[in-house]
Amino acid sequence: MDKKVVLITGCSSGIGLSLAVRLASDPNREYKVYATMRNLAKKERLLECVKGLHKDTLEILQMDVTDQQSILNAKEMVVEEQVDILVCNAGVGLMGPLEVQSLDSMRQILDVNLLGTIQTIQAFLPGMKAQGQGRILVTGSTGGLHGLPFNELYCASKFAIEGACESMAVLLQHFNIHVSLIECGPVNTDFLVNLQKSELGDMSLQQADTRTLSLYEKYLQHCGFVFQNAAQDTEDIVKVFLDAIQSSNPSFRYFTCGDIPPLIKLKITEPDGSAYISAMSKIIFSDADQ
């Protein structure tokens, strides 16, 4: 039986690395995995996880999702000349008061999270259409379904991905190509380590007013509590990806926490958004005025 060819972006750590290892280690050897990353100097962690045991089920390729030629070069390295399952997982974050963010930093978020994902899909979509089947899975975020303070650009990029994927899904069903968004909440990965974050005491924060800085400090405390008490492990996320990959009738949206989170339900069901805004503010900034 021919292996299903899977290409995954953002495999130097976290979800991408764990998913690549799991699929390449499939006991039935159903998958040939191309694990891609922007910086091949970071491939040692992935190699350590597979310990050289998957020479015929795993290849590691350099691919920068913000560089169209890099994407095309990686595509040329796929010896099967087709990709059955494309996983767009590469992503970065940006956290801090909006008024201190540089234009370059904001552009980078959009280049990676939005345009990088779309460029990657653009490159592999014609092949999927030609073969009359395919799966596209995109690592989404609950931050693409409801806004988070001090994450304006990150949420904007993820909101945009929701719209792009929904638009594609409507069309691509006519080509037997299924699009799925894997909606993640907090996850124990290197995402926080790599996050571009304004730290308290940074010179750039002098541009912000004292009230904003007080609220930002409160938000950072909230984030620390959430990641300590509610973050999921990457293996939990990988199980959801596997459900989507192995389903004969995949859903458009998967929530890694199971059900739709209560705040998102509130946002969907209440008419004008006021209750959601008040609830979110109370959860994050309770006691901020004291």
Side-chain angles (χ1 to χ4, degrees):
M1 180 179 68
D2 291 337
K3 295 181 176 66
K4 294 178 182 177
V5 178
V6 186
L7 187 138
I8 309 171
T9 68
C11 291
S12 62
S13 63
I15 296 169
L17 183 151
S18 296
L19 181 61
V21 171
R22 177 68 69 87
L23 291 175
S25 305
D26 178 70
N28 296 321
R29 306 174 70 81
E30 289 187 22
Y31 304 100
K32 169 66 175 293
V33 178
Y34 288 89
T36 75
M37 59 189 70
R38 182 182 62 84
N39 183 1
L40 283 181
K42 296 183 177 181
K43 69 180 180 181
E44 294 305 320
R45 187 169 173 183
L46 177 54
L47 289 173
E48 176 63 24
C49 289
V50 299
K51 293 183 172 58
L53 300 177
H54 308 290
K55 293 181 180 179
D56 60 342
T57 60
L58 178 68
E59 296 285 345
I60 301 175
L61 302 179
Q62 192 279 333
M63 189 171 116
D64 180 350
V65 299
T66 68
D67 182 342
Q68 188 178 47
Q69 190 57 54
S70 176
I71 297 170
L72 295 176
N73 290 343
K75 180 181 176 182
E76 289 299 314
M77 297 296 290
V78 178
V79 297
E80 294 83 0
E81 298 185 347
Q82 73 174 51
V83 168
D84 301 300
I85 302 166
L86 175 64
V87 180
C88 296
N89 169 71
V92 291
L94 178 67
M95 182 189 296
L98 182 63
E99 54 266 47
V100 309
Q101 306 299 352
S102 70
L103 187 57
D104 285 343
S105 295
M106 293 189 289
R107 280 177 172 154
Q108 182 190 15
I109 298 302
L110 297 175
D111 280 347
V112 176
N113 295 354
L114 175 58
L115 297 178
T117 297
I118 291 174
Q119 280 194 132
T120 302
I121 294 172
Q122 272 186 318
F124 294 95
L125 188 56
M128 288 186 174
K129 285 182 174 179
Q131 66 199 37
Q133 64 86 28
R135 298 282 180 90
I136 299 172
L137 291 86
V138 178
T139 302
S141 169
T142 54
L145 296 168
H146 65 82
L148 298 169
F150 301 111
N151 284 269
E152 291 85 359
L153 264 293
Y154 174 75
C155 288
S157 69
K158 289 300 187 178
F159 266 74
I161 281 298
E162 294 283 327
C165 288
E166 187 172 311
S167 301
M168 285 186 287
V170 173
L171 172 66
L172 295 182
Q173 64 178 342
H174 296 280
F175 295 86
N176 194 31
I177 299 170
H178 297 276
V179 179
S180 295
L181 278 158
I182 313 300
E183 309 287 15
C184 303
V187 186
N188 288 316
T189 69
D190 286 348
F191 183 84
L192 276 185
V193 176
N194 299 324
L195 175 70
Q196 296 181 52
K197 180 175 68 173
S198 299
E199 300 286 356
L200 296 175
D202 285 355
M203 292 293 292
S204 64
L205 288 181
Q206 292 181 1
Q207 302 173 50
D209 60 272
T210 56
R211 181 73 183 121
T212 297
L213 292 178
S214 174
L215 290 167
Y216 184 49
E217 183 175 8
K218 192 71 177 180
Y219 181 72
L220 292 177
Q221 294 170 3
H222 170 77
C223 287
F225 176 82
V226 168
F227 273 89
Q228 182 176 354
N229 294 280
Q232 292 181 282
D233 292 330
T234 54
E235 286 306 309
D236 297 325
I237 311 302
V238 166
K239 289 176 183 176
V240 180
F241 271 94
L242 292 176
D243 287 343
I245 288 171
Q246 295 169 354
S247 173
S248 59
N249 185 28
S251 300
F252 172 65
R253 187 174 278 117
Y254 291 81
F255 289 96
T256 63
C257 57
D259 296 328
I260 300 176
L263 279 173
I264 296 174
K265 282 186 179 180
L266 176 61
K267 181 179 177 182
I268 293 170
T269 56
E270 57 98 13
D272 66 1
S274 300
Y276 158 74
I277 296 295
S278 296
M280 176 64 85
S281 181
K282 184 177 181 180
I283 289 169
I284 295 174
F285 298 125
S286 59
D287 302 326
D289 291 307
Q290 297 181 13

